[in-house]
Amino acid sequence: MDDPSFCNFELRLLGMRGDDEDDLEEERVEVFGNTASPRIDGSQPETKTEPDDDGTGAGGNGAPSGSSASNKRSRSQSMLRFNADGSVSQWEYKPDVARTELVKLIAREDLPLCFGESAAFEEYIQKAHNPRFRSVSRQTTSRDVFKVFDSQRAMLIETLKSVSSVALTSDIWSGNAKEDYLSVVAHFVNSNWQLGKRILGLVLIDVSHTAENISKRILSVVQEYGLTDKIFSVTLDNAAANTKAMDHLKPAISGYVGDLYLHQCCACHIINLIVKAGLEIFKNMLADFRSAISFVNASNQRIALYKSFCIAKGVRPRKFGLDMDVRWNATYLMLKNLLPHKGIFSVFIATNHPPVNGHALLTDLHWTIAETVLLFLEQFYDSTVIMSGVYYPTSPLIMHHILEIAGHLNTYEKDRNLRNVVVPMKSKFLSYWSEIPFLYSFAFILDPRAKIRGFSNVLQIMTGNYSEYLTEVRAALSDIYKKYEAKFGDVRLQRATPSSSCGKKKTAWGKIFGSSASGSSVGAGPGVGDGFASASPGAGLGASASPIPGFGASASPGAGLGAGLFSRRTSATALIQAVSSTANMNASELSAYFDSDTVNQFDDDFNILNWWHEHKHTYPILSLLDRYVLNVPVSTISSESAFSLTGRIIEDRRRCLGLAMVQALALIKDWEQAESKKQHSAENKELIKSFEYLYLDDETTGDGDGTGTGDGARAGTGT
C-alpha cells in the first residue's frame, strides 16, 4: 500500500500515473505478458489488428517481418498451460496447430470439410476461445487432411517396425453410393503388452469380388506398411472367395512362421450362420411382429393414437424399431424391447389392426414363442458380444463358447417349441466346428489357468474319444514352438531359472485335477467341474461352461452333438510324429510350462497378457508365441466397425468426396480414437440405441454420448 507521505500517492488520487509505475509495468510485463491483465493505472493495453498475410490463418498464418514482428511480439499475450507431467509452460497460439486440430475434429465428428469456413463456427471460436481465429476454407482443410493423414501414417509405420508380428482382419462393405470398400485392420501387442488395433487401409473394390481381386487389395495394403514378413494370421469371414483369396496370399505373406495357421475363420460369422439356420423356422411368426410394428409406425396420426392409448393406461409411450433380415442380433433386440410391452401393445393391435384370417394379428402363441426365442437367442448374442472385443484377447475364449453353444443346443433340443429349430442349427454347428482349429486349442492351453490338463478335461466333456486330437494338438504346439525357438532363440539368454513354487510334476497333477473331468475343481482350471468360473469380457476366460448332456455318452455318430465332434482323421504317420515331438519337449520351456501348476485366479480382473509379461523371463520363447497367439482376433468385427465410420463419411450428402479423402478421414478418425481406446465397443451402441431410445414423451433418454465408437457385435451383417 502507498505511503501517503509520498507524492506518488497524491498523483494516484488525482487519477494520474506515479513516477515509479514505469518500473513496475516493466516487471509486470516480464512476468505476465503485455496483455495478460489491465495496466496498474487501470488502463487497457493498446491493441492493433494486424492484416492477414495469406488470408487463411488467425491473425495471418505467415510470419510478420521486421519491426512489425518485433512490435507484435512485444504486444503478444502470454498464457500459461499445465503439461501432462504437472509442469507449467507458456502457451502460444499457432494457426498451423489450430488447423491440424480442426482436421481431427472434422474426422472424429464426421463434419463437412467446409465446417472451418462456417461464419457461425468462426464467431463461436472468436467469442468463446480465441479472438485471433480466422475461418479456414474448404480447400485449405482438404490439403490439411492429407498432411495430417500422411504424418500419422508415417508414425504408424514406424510403430509397426518395432512390432514382431501382426494379425490381420479384412472384410468387404457395400455402401449406399453403390461403391464397395475393403478394409484391412492390423492387431498387435505393443511394447507394454497391450493389445492395439489400427485400420491400415480402406480400399475401393470396384470390380467383382473374386479371390484374385480381394487378395490383390489386401496385399497392396500389407506391402504399403512393410508387413509382408510379419503376418501371423488373417481372419476373414467364411465366403468361398475369401478361402481362395488366402491361397493367393499365402506365398506372399507366409514368411513369418509359415502358413499352417495363417487363415482363420470369423467365429461371429459362424454363429450368425448357425442362428439364421434356426430362425428360418420362425420366419412367418417374426413377419407378424414386423407387420404389427410397421402398423404402429405407419403414420404420425397412428403414433399419436398409440401414445394417447399408452398414457390413458398409465404406461410410458414409446415406439419400437424394426429388425433387418440379415442381422439376427437386430431380431433379438427387437423382441427384447417389445416383450416388456406385450400387454398394452397386443391390446392396441387387436383393437386397431384388421383381423388376419379371422384371428388377431398377434396371438398368445406368438408371445409365448417370442419369449422362448428371446431366451434361446441370448446365449448366441452374449457369445457374439464377447467374441467381438478388440481390447482383450478373444482367442482363449472361443473354446469356452463353443462348449457353451453345444450344451445350449442340446438343452433346447428337448423343448417342444424349439426342437425343429435346433436340428438345422446342430447341422450348421458341426459343419464348421466338428474340427476345432488348432489355434483355438493353442490359445486355450496357453491360458495359465487351463494348460494341457484343463484342455484334456474339456475334450473329455465334449466327447469320449479325444486322445488322438489331444496328441495331435500337443505335437502341433511343439512344432510351432520349435519355429519360434529357431527364430528367437537368442532371447533365451534372458531366461531366469524357474522357482520351485512354479508347479508340481505331472505325477502329482492327479491330486489337483482328479481322475476325471468332473472329479475336482481345486486348481483345475477351466473345463474341470466348477473350475469354469464366470468372467467378464477381458477377464481371460469369458463365459462359464458346464458339462453337456449328450457329450461323452456315446462315440457313435448321431448319439449327441458332441459325438464325433473331434473327428479329425489322424494318420499313423501323424501319431508317430506327435510322439516324437512330445519326446523332444524334455527340458524345454514348453514342458516346464506343462509341468507347472495351473493358476487359480478366476476373478474378473485376471489379465492373461499381463501374466505372460510378468513371466517372460521364465518363458522367453513361449511368452513370444503366446503374445501372438493371444493377439489373433476370432472375428472380423474390427473390420466391420471400420464401415460404420465409412458409412457416416460417405452418407448421401457427402457422396462427392473422393476415394482418397474417404480413406484419409476414416483412418484419421480410427487412429485418433485409438489413443483413448474408443475405436470399438463390444456391443453395438448404435444398433442398441435404434431399439431402446424410442420414447414418445418429453423426458430425455439414452446416454447421449454420441461417441459412435465402432460397430460392435455385427454378427448378422450377412456380408
Side-chain angles (χ1 to χ4, degrees):
M1 184 174 182
D2 285 344
D3 189 335
S5 63
F6 287 96
C7 62
N8 286 326
F9 177 74
E10 297 179 359
L11 290 172
R12 292 192 182 97
L13 287 179
L14 296 174
M16 302 173 66
R17 291 171 56 87
D19 58 12
D20 61 344
E21 290 185 11
D22 289 336
D23 294 336
L24 292 175
E25 178 65 15
E26 290 178 1
E27 294 177 1
R28 186 193 69 78
V29 171
E30 182 179 353
V31 176
F32 297 106
N34 192 39
T35 61
S37 63
R39 299 180 186 274
I40 295 175
D41 62 356
S43 64
Q44 297 293 329
E46 180 183 359
T47 60
K48 181 182 295 184
T49 302
E50 295 291 334
D52 293 350
D53 289 312
D54 61 3
T56 61
N61 287 336
S65 60
S67 60
S68 174
S70 176
N71 293 336
K72 192 169 184 178
R73 284 194 297 271
S74 69
R75 297 194 302 272
S76 64
Q77 176 178 347
S78 296
M79 297 181 64
L80 301 180
R81 67 176 178 184
F82 289 96
N83 300 318
D85 59 359
S87 62
V88 179
S89 62
Q90 180 175 321
W91 180 86
E92 181 182 355
Y93 174 70
K94 298 180 180 179
D96 57 335
V97 174
R99 284 164 47 183
T100 297
E101 294 303 315
L102 177 62
V103 166
K104 295 178 181 179
L105 175 66
I106 288 173
R108 292 177 65 175
E109 299 299 325
D110 307 307
L111 300 171
L113 293 175
C114 61
F115 182 74
E117 65 184 7
S118 163
F121 177 68
E122 180 183 24
E123 182 178 354
Y124 164 70
I125 296 297
Q126 288 179 344
K127 289 185 176 180
H129 300 285
N130 193 333
R132 297 173 59 194
F133 179 81
R134 296 293 182 271
S135 62
V136 184
S137 69
R138 174 191 172 95
Q139 292 75 15
T140 300
T141 299
S142 298
R143 292 192 297 269
D144 289 343
V145 166
F146 290 113
K147 289 179 182 178
V148 172
F149 174 69
D150 291 339
S151 174
Q152 292 194 356
R153 181 175 58 178
M155 290 189 293
L156 178 57
I157 290 174
E158 288 301 313
T159 298
L160 293 176
K161 285 181 180 179
S162 63
V163 174
S164 299
S165 174
V166 298
L168 300 181
T169 62
S170 182
D171 205 354
I172 297 175
W173 173 76
S174 298
N176 294 330
K178 307 301 181 183
E179 294 176 338
D180 297 350
Y181 287 87
L182 180 143
S183 67
V184 179
V185 179
H187 298 255
F188 56 91
V189 180
N190 63 23
S191 58
N192 296 321
W193 287 67
Q194 294 177 336
L195 289 175
K197 167 229 165 184
R198 300 292 189 277
I199 301 177
L200 300 183
L202 199 63
V203 185
L204 180 69
I205 178 166
D206 52 355
V207 291
S208 60
H209 300 175
T210 63
E212 184 178 2
N213 290 329
I214 292 172
S215 61
K216 281 183 178 179
R217 282 155 179 79
I218 293 177
L219 184 59
S220 66
V221 174
V222 171
Q223 290 173 336
E224 181 181 346
Y225 286 85
L227 298 175
T228 51
D229 293 329
K230 293 187 175 184
I231 308 300
F232 185 86
S233 69
V234 181
T235 303
L236 306 169
D237 69 25
N238 303 287
N242 286 335
T243 301
K244 293 180 180 178
M246 285 304 302
D247 294 334
H248 291 278
L249 283 171
K250 284 178 180 178
I253 63 173
S254 58
Y256 186 65
V257 286
D259 60 10
L260 186 58
Y261 312 109
L262 194 61
H263 182 200
Q264 299 298 317
C265 294
C266 174
C268 290
H269 188 257
I270 293 174
I271 293 175
N272 172 51
L273 296 175
I274 293 171
V275 174
K276 289 175 70 174
L279 288 182
E280 184 68 21
I281 305 297
F282 294 113
K283 181 170 60 176
N284 294 333
M285 183 211 71
L286 293 173
D288 290 339
F289 279 107
R290 295 184 186 111
S291 297
I293 294 174
S294 297
F295 175 78
V296 174
N297 297 340
S299 66
N300 292 333
Q301 291 80 3
R302 194 167 291 152
I303 292 173
L305 180 64
Y306 181 68
K307 177 179 179 180
S308 300
F309 183 75
C310 291
I311 293 174
K313 297 294 184 180
V315 176
R316 187 181 181 188
R318 59 157 296 168
K319 295 190 298 182
F320 300 97
L322 278 173
D323 69 338
M324 293 152 280
D325 288 338
V326 296
R327 301 178 72 170
W328 70 266
N329 48 349
T331 303
Y332 170 84
L333 291 171
M334 179 184 74
L335 297 177
K336 180 181 179 181
N337 286 277
L338 182 62
L339 277 169
H341 300 264
K342 69 175 184 178
I344 192 168
F345 187 81
S346 58
V347 171
F348 181 83
I349 293 297
T351 305
N352 294 276
H353 193 281
V356 178
N357 297 325
H359 301 282
L361 178 62
L362 299 179
T363 65
D364 290 340
L365 180 61
H366 279 84
W367 293 105
T368 299
I369 294 179
E371 290 174 349
T372 304
V373 169
L374 180 66
L375 188 61
F376 176 65
L377 291 180
E378 188 172 10
Q379 171 65 56
F380 300 96
Y381 184 84
D382 291 344
S383 292
T384 299
V385 168
I386 294 175
M387 292 299 99
S388 301
V390 297
Y391 295 131
Y392 53 85
T394 56
S395 54
L397 309 180
I398 184 62
M399 285 290 291
H400 297 278
H401 290 277
I402 290 175
L403 192 64
E404 280 289 320
I405 291 171
H408 192 67
L409 292 174
N410 275 328
T411 298
Y412 275 90
E413 190 176 21
K414 301 179 180 65
D415 189 305
R416 61 185 180 87
N417 292 323
L418 293 175
R419 187 175 300 121
N420 293 334
V421 176
V422 171
V423 172
M425 296 178 73
K426 273 189 170 185
S427 176
K428 189 67 68 174
F429 178 98
L430 290 172
S431 67
Y432 285 99
W433 282 333
S434 61
E435 296 184 2
I436 306 298
F438 276 152
L439 199 65
Y440 294 177
S441 301
F442 294 167
F444 185 88
I445 291 170
L446 291 174
D447 186 329
R449 296 169 292 179
K451 302 188 177 179
I452 277 289
R453 191 55 184 267
F455 181 64
S456 173
N457 284 321
V458 168
L459 298 185
Q460 194 169 28
I461 292 172
M462 298 182 80
T463 175
N465 183 20
Y466 65 92
S467 58
E468 289 186 358
Y469 181 72
L470 176 61
T471 303
E472 194 173 355
V473 167
R474 287 182 63 117
L477 183 55
S478 176
D479 288 342
I480 193 172
Y481 168 78
K482 288 178 181 177
K483 291 182 179 180
Y484 265 74
E485 189 174 38
K487 192 176 184 70
F488 302 105
D490 54 342
V491 303
R492 187 181 296 279
L493 299 174
Q494 307 171 12
R495 183 180 181 184
T497 302
S499 63
S500 58
S501 61
C502 187
K504 301 181 184 299
K505 296 298 182 182
K506 294 179 182 178
T507 55
W509 278 19
K511 298 178 181 179
I512 301 174
F513 291 91
S515 57
S516 66
S518 59
S520 173
S521 63
V522 179
V528 187
D530 295 332
F532 272 105
S534 178
S536 63
L541 286 183
S544 62
S546 57
I548 301 175
F551 277 72
S554 172
S556 61
L561 182 60
L565 182 62
F566 291 95
S567 58
R568 185 187 300 275
R569 293 187 295 273
T570 306
S571 65
T573 303
L575 289 175
I576 293 173
Q577 180 185 3
V579 173
S580 174
S581 298
T582 304
N584 291 332
M585 285 195 303
N586 293 333
S588 72
E589 293 175 25
L590 193 58
S591 61
Y593 172 74
F594 288 162
D595 287 345
S596 63
D597 291 342
T598 53
V599 175
N600 294 325
Q601 295 178 334
F602 297 107
D603 49 320
D604 290 351
D605 60 356
F606 181 76
N607 189 309
I608 301 177
L609 279 173
N610 279 351
W611 188 91
W612 280 100
H613 181 39
E614 293 168 356
H615 293 77
K616 65 181 180 180
H617 294 301
T618 304
Y619 308 109
I621 304 295
L622 194 58
S623 64
L624 289 175
L625 172 60
D626 174 87
R627 181 173 179 169
Y628 300 119
V629 168
L630 297 185
N631 176 49
V632 176
V634 299
S635 78
T636 59
I637 296 299
S638 59
S639 287
E640 293 178 13
S641 65
F643 302 137
S644 68
L645 305 181
T646 311
R648 289 187 291 272
I649 292 171
I650 56 175
E651 58 189 3
D652 289 343
R653 59 191 176 90
R654 303 179 72 188
R655 290 186 182 179
C656 61
L657 292 179
L659 303 178
M661 181 62 73
V662 170
Q663 175 176 252
L665 290 172
L667 270 59
I668 290 173
K669 180 172 184 175
D670 176 76
W671 298 342
E672 286 296 304
Q673 291 177 341
E675 298 302 320
S676 54
K677 288 186 178 293
K678 291 182 178 179
Q679 297 162 291
H680 173 83
S681 60
E683 285 196 282
N684 187 343
K685 290 184 178 181
E686 292 182 355
L687 183 62
I688 291 174
K689 286 179 181 179
S690 68
F691 288 96
E692 289 189 353
Y693 307 128
L694 300 176
Y695 291 98
L696 297 171
D697 53 18
D698 294 330
E699 296 181 29
T700 301
T701 59
D703 57 10
D705 60 359
T707 54
T709 56
D711 193 46
R714 296 181 56 182
T717 55
T719 55

